[in-house]
Amino acid sequence: MLAIVALPPALATDRAEPNGITSVKRLDVPTPRPPRLPRNFDGTGKYIVRDLGITVPFTWAGRDGDSQMVAGGPRYPIWFTNLIYRNSLYTLTYKWPGLDTHECSRIPGFNLNTLNQKLSTSRFVGREILQRKPQRQVNHWRVGVVVPQLPPGNHLRFPVALGDVYVDQHDPTTFWQVLQFGVQNLYDPELDEWLTMNTFAHTPGTVTLPAQCPPPS
């Protein structure tokens, strides 16, 4: 489990988070800028499916607004890629426990601006420290998609997709950790998956649409 501790500000309100994490939100400074994925970046890390006991290598790269995640590989128990490529969102899962179909899915009309518009609606949780080597001082944000969109009150709602995003305190375009939860993690019994970054450079990476995926229209 990743250890997370909150920074100790002079004025703060405590807020209990899932998994026993306590975050602290400072009252004496303005709310920082929300996360924003850059057009060009290149990073490496790990992809963690904790309930399956699986941790695999992970890369995340962006070039000219397109981006690609790759988790695992041919010799690992899971292997998939997600892409934002020429105004489409692609997902191709090569390997996953219990999965027999390996089709490439495409959702048109999705690009970097779409993602960043959603990230701009994130709610600020607090300033925290990721206790890894090296330690990372991060801002913790929560973003989600809930349907249907209804006013406050006693209404039936469904959390389609939720995410906890941890970005560098000095640069909201540097991503150090993401927890994904919801139907986008349908293959996982607990519906939650982590990605953690060891490196994140603001230089163009490599983005390649797999041959199995239909080309953008």
Side-chain angles (χ1 to χ4, degrees):
M1 184 66 186
L2 298 169
I4 304 175
V5 297
L7 294 175
L11 298 173
T13 56
D14 291 339
R15 179 175 175 178
E17 295 297 322
N19 301 322
I21 298 170
T22 299
S23 64
V24 178
K25 185 173 181 178
R26 296 187 60 160
L27 303 180
D28 55 346
V29 294
T31 300
R33 291 176 295 158
R36 185 174 181 84
L37 194 69
R39 289 181 58 82
N40 296 293
F41 62 95
D42 197 16
T44 61
K46 296 179 180 179
Y47 201 85
I48 304 166
V49 188
R50 199 164 301 283
D51 61 300
L52 298 181
I54 294 175
T55 298
V56 298
F58 177 77
T59 61
W60 192 8
R63 176 177 288 269
D64 297 329
D66 292 336
S67 62
Q68 182 171 20
M69 296 178 172
V70 179
R75 63 187 182 92
Y76 294 97
I78 65 174
W79 179 21
F80 69 84
T81 183
N82 294 331
L83 297 97
I84 298 175
Y85 187 81
R86 299 183 184 176
N87 295 312
S88 289
L89 176 64
Y90 291 90
T91 300
L92 173 59
T93 302
Y94 302 98
K95 293 176 64 178
W96 192 279
L99 184 67
D100 297 323
T101 61
H102 306 281
E103 297 180 0
C104 181
S105 68
R106 172 178 173 252
I107 301 175
F110 191 97
N111 57 30
L112 179 63
N113 288 335
T114 309
L115 174 62
N116 281 331
Q117 285 174 8
K118 189 58 188 178
L119 288 174
S120 70
T121 69
S122 302
R123 282 83 68 196
F124 182 53
V125 178
R127 294 165 176 81
E128 300 174 359
I129 296 175
L130 301 180
Q131 290 192 329
R132 302 204 300 267
K133 294 182 179 180
Q135 292 187 350
R136 307 285 188 188
Q137 294 189 2
V138 296
N139 289 328
H140 177 181
W141 297 84
R142 179 158 298 152
V143 61
V145 176
V146 177
V147 295
Q149 292 292 314
L150 294 170
N154 186 17
H155 304 288
L156 187 63
R157 312 172 204 270
F158 297 93
V160 175
L162 300 174
D164 283 72
V165 181
Y166 302 79
V167 294
D168 193 276
Q169 287 189 5
H170 301 292
D171 183 358
T173 67
T174 296
F175 286 61
W176 290 123
Q177 182 168 284
V178 177
L179 166 65
Q180 304 176 80
F181 178 84
V183 297
Q184 78 271 25
N185 305 104
L186 189 61
Y187 297 153
D188 177 46
E190 296 296 330
L191 300 180
D192 66 324
E193 299 163 26
W194 287 88
L195 62 91
T196 65
M197 307 304 296
N198 296 325
T199 66
F200 197 97
H202 289 260
T203 55
T206 300
V207 177
T208 304
L209 183 68
Q212 298 95 319
C213 295
S217 55

